[in-house]
Amino acid sequence: MLFNGRKRTLQNKTYGKCLVLDGMMQYTERDECSYQEMMAFMPLNSHPNPESVLIIGGGDCGVLREVLKHPKVKTAELCEIDQKVVDICRQHFPHVDQVLSNPKAKLRIEDGFKLLQNSPQQYDVIITDSSDPVGPAESLFTSDFYRLLKSALKPNGIVCSQGECFWLSLDLLKKMRKFTRQLFPSVGYAWTSMPTYPSGQIGLLLCSLNPATDFANPVTTFTDDDVAEMSLQYYNADVHRAACVLPSFVRRAFLEIDNEK
């Protein structure tokens, strides 16, 4: 089914309902859990008290759905620039209406840049659920954007951004590691398996204003009962820790940046 030539939903025998934007797979019912859960709980469980959360992008509301499961979250705002994305997802993915009706959730249809410019020190955690750095989304992978993210964080706040694929975008990741380490005292990188994304892997770029933040060791640890109660399909404390273990070639590339003077 086509919408305006740019947005498509389709049914796949293996992956169920899928959302495609600008020719790129964004969401499938089969494997969306790995991305949504990791984007939510890697930063939330690295922060001691993540009460206020902003999500930029993510009009499918998958990350928002997971954020709202966290017991310490009091408010979660979703800033999506394209109303049509939300409308299409409302029509085809049943969770969207339920998520947006949650009293803790707030939908804002506006430009994330403008919102950040007018939100100094507002959020404990900001999650950037962006598409790949092509066209308008390219600006979300720049130092200027991360300065805005930093300005909108409360003290000790955390940013988690879609961190591309280290098989395909290592040069970009090195560039981003360099400027994020200039802006934040603690920077980490994690990754998750995502079969329907290019190369089957997607990263998470994590930044904290608290120099003591260790992204490889969550400050909030979900028990097996917590995982079951939240109906989590992918994330758990062991996966959290393991996600920060990087292949040797990625570790060497980041160490090269870290050792630059």
Side-chain angles (χ1 to χ4, degrees), residues 8-133:
R8 181 195 298 266
T9 59
L10 54 90
Q11 184 76 31
N12 180 274
K13 182 177 180 180
T14 301
Y15 290 97
K17 287 183 181 178
C18 307
L19 174 68
V20 180
L21 301 179
D22 296 322
M24 292 184 285
M25 186 67 72
Q26 300 294 322
Y27 179 104
T28 81
E29 290 179 314
R30 172 72 183 276
D31 66 2
E32 55 93 16
C33 60
S34 64
Y35 179 79
Q36 320 285 15
E37 293 178 14
M38 294 293 279
M39 285 288 286
F41 298 119
M42 288 294 294
L44 293 178
N45 284 350
S46 297
H47 192 291
N49 194 29
E51 294 183 346
S52 57
V53 180
L54 172 65
I55 304 162
I56 298 176
D60 57 63
C61 297
V63 172
L64 177 60
R65 177 194 66 212
E66 300 305 322
V67 166
L68 290 169
K69 293 177 182 179
H70 198 286
K72 294 183 180 179
V73 170
K74 294 183 177 180
T75 62
E77 298 179 24
L78 174 64
C79 179
E80 169 60 59
I81 198 170
D82 191 343
Q83 177 72 59
K84 291 185 177 67
V85 173
V86 179
D87 292 342
I88 291 168
C89 292
R90 276 184 187 272
Q91 183 178 354
H92 293 279
F93 301 105
H95 72 269
V96 176
D97 277 331
Q98 181 180 1
V99 168
L100 292 178
S101 66
N102 189 307
K104 295 181 181 181
K106 180 179 180 180
L107 175 63
R108 308 177 67 140
I109 303 299
E110 58 184 292
D111 186 330
F113 271 85
K114 293 181 180 178
L115 175 59
L116 292 172
Q117 289 169 347
N118 296 312
S119 305
Q121 296 189 334
Q122 289 288 315
Y123 304 103
D124 294 308
V125 173
I126 303 176
I127 299 170
T128 304
D129 183 5
S130 69
S131 54
D132 292 328

